[in-house]
Amino acid sequence: MQSKNTRHFSDERFKINTEEMLKDLEELINTPSVVGFYPEIHKKLAKIVGKMGYEIEYDNKRTAYVRVPGIDSSKTVCVGAHLDTIGLQVRHVMENGWIEVKNLGGINFHNVEGENVYIHTRNGKTFEGMVICKSHSVHVFDDARSRERDINNEAILLDADVNSAQDVYDLGIENGDLISVEPRFKRTKSGFIKSRHIDDKAMVVAAIEVLRQLKQNDLKPAFNTLFAFPIYEEIGHGGAYVPSEVSEYVSLDIGLIGPDNHGSEKLVSIGASDHYSPYDWGLTTHLINLAKENQIEYCVDTFYRFGSDATAAIRSGNNVMPAVFGVGCMNSHGYERTSIHAIEECARLTLAYVLNK
Ligand SMILES: [Zn+2]
């Protein structure tokens, strides 16, 4: 049975299922999953991996896992891609019915102003609205352009016939409701994907593609592999809990593009460090070598205002080696863009990592 588990990764049979991957991507991007809002995205993820024959499980902090037994069960490695996206939460409703918010994760209000949003209430209803600056019109306010864009100066205008705070609360909206931002998925003819949520759904589908490849080719990973899908990365603690059997935590998360970076929308960015710590020297070198051996287009960068679930894991004291890689993402935490090619390359590097010792 030698042939069944041969690790010739450049083999034709490992061709990435691009169309299926992008179908998953559009579906997951269009499923709201603002930080901590797991009900809908868990259902969707369970449906996608369930069709392939995988079981899904959850821990108490709502991280979803798919466990895949390895050829060698002497260790367990973890590949993590976060389900959550940046978003907002209802803070307070003003007397005129405008909704004030707090941000969940690194929202940039300059970028989100004018965008449609969805308010998810605890009784399962969804209401639409849009983000406005309190000085919302250049025809009316001297400071419409200059007013600072932050949580104190921005609000949500509800698409409902409301004129007072009581009107809004009467609809069933309450302080603490979670708010997702219009995802605006778009696939261009030139090979790019644009959406507010390239981070991190592009990498979630790269992980899913690896699960698909394992089934298609009837392969086992080299080691027991735990695919983890946390829901609190954007506020810093998605990977804070790691099951104790895990010894390596590879975060699949976006790479940065900027003056100090080699990163681009066409490349896999392998992170050598972030704002908190260098990533594990040996594991990162291993990933770089796998990229080289498999002719994967990659670069290595240090990340500045960035963290990942792998660093969340070490920050909270887990005994794991952290690493990170992902698609180069333009305009991150705004209306983001990456290339289909980079998502494919990330899936290939993930597969190479999972299949090789
Ligand atoms: Zn991310």
Side-chain angles (χ1 to χ4, degrees):
M1 298 306 286
Q2 174 67 26
S3 63
K4 198 166 153 191
N5 286 318
T6 313
R7 263 55 184 157
H8 293 307
F9 177 68
S10 53
D11 205 302
E12 251 305 291
R13 65 191 166 145
F14 292 122
K15 203 165 174 312
I16 298 298
N17 301 285
T18 305
E19 291 309 316
E20 278 168 277
M21 200 171 66
L22 295 180
K23 192 173 143 272
D24 292 343
L25 181 58
E26 183 168 6
E27 202 175 336
L28 289 170
I29 277 179
N30 286 333
T31 305
S33 60
V34 53
V35 175
F37 188 62
Y38 58 86
E40 296 186 24
I41 199 77
H42 276 184
K43 258 187 238 158
K44 195 71 73 176
L45 183 68
K47 191 191 91 182
I48 292 172
V49 302
K51 263 198 255 173
M52 296 178 199
Y54 291 104
E55 306 249 322
I56 200 158
E57 56 190 85
Y58 309 94
D59 66 19
N60 295 327
K61 73 193 295 288
R62 313 292 187 178
T63 298
Y65 299 99
V66 176
R67 263 173 213 284
V68 188
I71 295 168
D72 179 346
S73 59
S74 66
K75 75 173 184 183
T76 299
V77 302
C78 178
V79 171
H82 65 90
L83 294 171
D84 57 310
T85 66
I86 55 174
L88 303 165
Q89 189 170 30
V90 175
R91 186 175 96 231
H92 164 250
V93 183
M94 294 166 65
E95 254 329 295
N96 66 358
W98 292 358
I99 297 171
E100 292 186 304
V101 296
K102 64 179 282 186
N103 58 302
L104 291 173
I107 281 264
N108 176 354
F109 280 103
H110 290 269
N111 191 288
V112 92
E113 194 176 296
E115 188 60 278
N116 294 315
V117 293
Y118 301 91
I119 300 170
H120 308 283
T121 70
R122 287 181 201 274
N123 62 9
K125 287 190 180 156
T126 305
F127 293 91
E128 291 189 38
M130 67 183 281
V131 179
I132 58 166
C133 177
K134 288 178 184 171
S135 297
H136 53 82
S137 171
V138 293
H139 299 108
V140 180
F141 298 96
D142 288 331
D143 64 350
R145 291 186 181 87
S146 61
R147 189 163 175 172
E148 184 143 4
R149 265 56 183 177
D150 61 23
I151 58 166
N152 297 317
N153 294 315
E154 301 277 315
I156 288 172
L157 186 64
L158 203 60
D159 297 328
D161 194 9
V162 289
N163 297 298
S164 69
Q166 198 53 53
D167 287 349
V168 174
Y169 289 124
D170 286 348
L171 288 174
I173 290 172
E174 190 47 271
N175 296 350
D177 286 348
L178 293 170
I179 305 167
S180 61
V181 182
E182 184 73 56
R184 285 206 278 145
F185 177 90
K186 191 171 168 84
R187 176 181 182 176
T188 75
K189 288 197 177 89
S190 49
F192 293 103
I193 301 291
K194 297 193 285 187
S195 168
R196 290 195 171 273
H197 308 321
I198 298 297
D199 178 9
D200 193 28
K201 302 224 169 140
M203 299 312 299
V204 172
V205 299
I208 291 171
E209 172 61 12
V210 172
L211 290 168
R212 186 184 287 113
Q213 291 276 346
L214 294 174
K215 285 284 182 196
Q216 266 179 1
N217 296 301
D218 195 20
L219 285 171
K220 278 185 163 186
F223 300 105
N224 289 349
T225 304
L226 191 60
F227 290 81
F229 302 95
I231 193 84
Y232 290 102
E233 192 280 339
E234 293 293 359
I235 53 163
H237 69 80
Y241 166 76
V242 183
S244 60
E245 67 272 25
V246 171
S247 59
E248 299 175 10
Y249 197 116
V250 177
S251 263
L252 308 184
D253 211 332
I254 57 163
L256 307 188
I257 297 172
D260 292 347
N261 300 127
H262 294 308
S264 88
E265 291 161 275
K266 296 293 172 69
L267 295 177
V268 178
S269 288
I270 300 174
S273 69
D274 65 19
H275 76 281
Y276 175 65
S277 169
Y279 286 90
D280 183 76
W281 180 260
L283 183 55
T284 302
T285 306
H286 176 56
L287 291 170
I288 293 167
N289 290 337
L290 285 171
K292 277 183 194 155
E293 286 161 20
N294 292 289
Q295 288 90 48
I296 289 163
E297 293 180 68
Y298 78 98
C299 64
V300 183
D301 270 325
T302 64
F303 297 152
Y304 176 47
R305 294 165 57 90
F306 179 94
S308 73
D309 279 330
T311 33
I314 53 170
R315 282 186 100 133
S316 52
N318 289 283
N319 183 20
V320 294
M321 301 169 202
V324 68
F325 68 84
V327 293
C329 180
M330 189 66 194
N331 213 26
S332 57
H333 283 195
Y335 189 44
E336 301 172 335
R337 198 178 78 165
T338 193
S339 71
I340 295 168
H341 177 70
I343 305 172
E344 292 170 331
E345 291 290 84
C346 284
R348 293 179 64 226
L349 183 54
T350 309
L351 191 59
Y353 169 66
V354 164
L355 291 180
N356 285 283
K357 287 212 172 190

